[in-house]
Amino acid sequence: MTVLSFPEIDSTNLYLKRNREDLRDLTFAKAEFQSAGRGSHGRGWVAEKGVNLLFSILIKDPSKLSYGSFLSLVIATGVASFLENELQIQDVSIKWPNDIYVCGKKICGILIEGELSSYLTIGIGLNVNQKEFVGEYRRTPTSLSIEAGKAFDLESLSKRLFAHLEKILGDIGSKADYLVYFNSHDFLRGRRVYVLGVEGECVADGVNDDFALKCIHGSHEIIVATGEISIL
Ligand code: BTN
C-alpha cells in the first residue's frame, strides 16, 4: 500500500485520476481539506478542515476491476463493518448503494468514479471529529465523535481503516457473504422512497443478487440498478 497525504487538494478522487498512469494499484491519497470535494450525483462534498477522513483509493489491478459494481458493496460493507466491529459504533447501516449511516444519520459518503476497463477511484468521506454541520445537508449528518462521545486520533484511525480496506480489497470473497451483511444492515428496507424518474412513491424491499435495489411500486416490483433515491 502507498499512502500519499496532502494538507489541501482539490479532490483526492481527481488527484488519483490525474496521476493514475504513474501510481500503483492500491495507492491511497488522503487530504486534510478538499477545495472541490466531489459528492454523488454531481454534488459537492464539504467537510471541515483537518477533522475528518477524506481519502481515495486507486484501483488498477484488472482482477479487482473485474468485480465491477460489486466493489461498491465490498467497500460499503468494509467501512460499515470497520465502524461496527473495530470501533464498536452502534446502529450502523448502509443506505443503498453505499452511504453509511449511524443511528439514522449519514456518517460516510462513498463515490466511485473511473472506467471499469482501466481504473477506478474509490473516494471515501468519513466524518470523524466534526462537531457541527452548518448549512444545508440533504441527509442529516453525524460524525464518529458525536456518536461515540469522544475524539479520535485521525492518524491512527486512518492507518487502521486503510489496513482494513487493503485487506478486504486484497481478498474479495463471495458476493453472497457481502449480501448477507448488507441485508442485515439495510437502511432503506421497508421505507417509503422516491426513485428519480419513477412516478409516485415506492417501498424499498432489499436488493437482488446483482445488488440492484428492489422497490414495490403499487402492485409491481421495480428494479433500480443505479439511481437516486429520496426517502419520504
Ligand atoms: C456522497 O455524496 O455521499 C459521496 C461523497 C464522497 C466524498 C469523498 S471525500 C474523499 C473523496 N474525494 C472526493 O472529492 N470525494 C470523495
Side-chain angles (χ1 to χ4, degrees):
M1 177 195 345
T2 308
V3 179
L4 307 171
S5 301
F6 303 93
E8 180 170 339
I9 204 161
D10 50 356
S11 150
T12 53
N13 265 24
L14 287 179
Y15 173 83
L16 291 180
K17 177 183 182 182
R18 281 194 298 269
N19 295 285
R20 63 187 184 276
E21 302 294 340
D22 304 322
L23 296 171
R24 296 205 318 221
D25 183 59
L26 282 187
T27 297
F28 286 63
K30 71 178 168 98
E32 286 175 33
F33 181 73
Q34 295 185 127
S35 55
R38 294 160 70 79
S40 314
H41 307 291
R43 300 193 182 91
W45 184 260
V46 178
E48 203 178 300
K49 187 182 171 91
V51 294
N52 297 310
L53 280 186
L54 307 167
F55 66 97
S56 303
I57 311 164
L58 179 65
I59 306 288
K60 287 168 70 173
D61 172 5
S63 72
K64 292 191 194 79
L65 291 172
S66 70
Y67 286 99
S69 56
F70 172 34
L71 283 172
S72 167
L73 173 63
V74 171
I75 290 293
T77 54
V79 174
S81 63
F82 177 80
L83 300 186
E84 188 170 60
N85 302 326
E86 304 265 330
L87 304 183
Q88 274 78 50
I89 300 291
Q90 305 291 312
D91 196 6
V92 175
S93 58
I94 303 171
K95 179 182 161 283
W96 182 88
N98 54 19
D99 285 344
I100 313 295
Y101 278 51
V102 171
C103 295
K105 297 177 189 152
K106 182 162 170 173
I107 202 162
C108 175
I110 299 173
L111 176 66
I112 302 182
E113 301 185 285
E115 296 148 22
L116 270 180
S117 55
S118 56
Y119 80 101
L120 288 176
T121 55
I122 300 174
I124 300 179
L126 174 63
N127 298 330
V128 181
N129 288 325
Q130 188 161 339
K131 283 280 174 47
E132 284 179 14
F133 294 86
V134 184
E136 293 261 313
Y137 285 87
R138 277 187 90 238
R139 313 272 177 240
T140 308
T142 191
S143 67
L144 285 176
S145 69
I146 291 172
E147 297 304 326
K150 62 171 187 179
F152 288 79
D153 181 284
L154 276 183
E155 194 54 37
S156 70
L157 184 72
S158 67
K159 282 199 177 118
R160 288 172 67 189
L161 179 56
F162 292 1
H164 180 80
L165 294 176
E166 181 191 38
K167 184 162 176 289
I168 278 169
L169 286 166
D171 183 23
I172 297 176
S174 84
K175 196 188 270 189
D177 295 338
Y178 300 93
L179 286 172
V180 166
Y181 185 90
F182 179 84
N183 284 327
S184 61
H185 294 76
D186 181 354
F187 179 75
L188 287 181
R189 188 183 277 269
R191 286 182 198 263
R192 293 161 55 220
V193 296
Y194 271 131
V195 179
L196 192 71
V198 174
E199 205 175 307
E201 64 180 70
C202 307
V203 176
D205 190 31
V207 294
N208 68 12
D209 288 348
D210 296 323
F211 197 44
L213 185 69
K214 299 189 286 181
C215 290
I216 310 292
H217 186 242
S219 55
H220 297 95
E221 181 179 86
I222 57 170
I223 302 293
V224 185
T226 54
E228 196 170 351
I229 306 296
S230 305
I231 304 159
L232 289 171

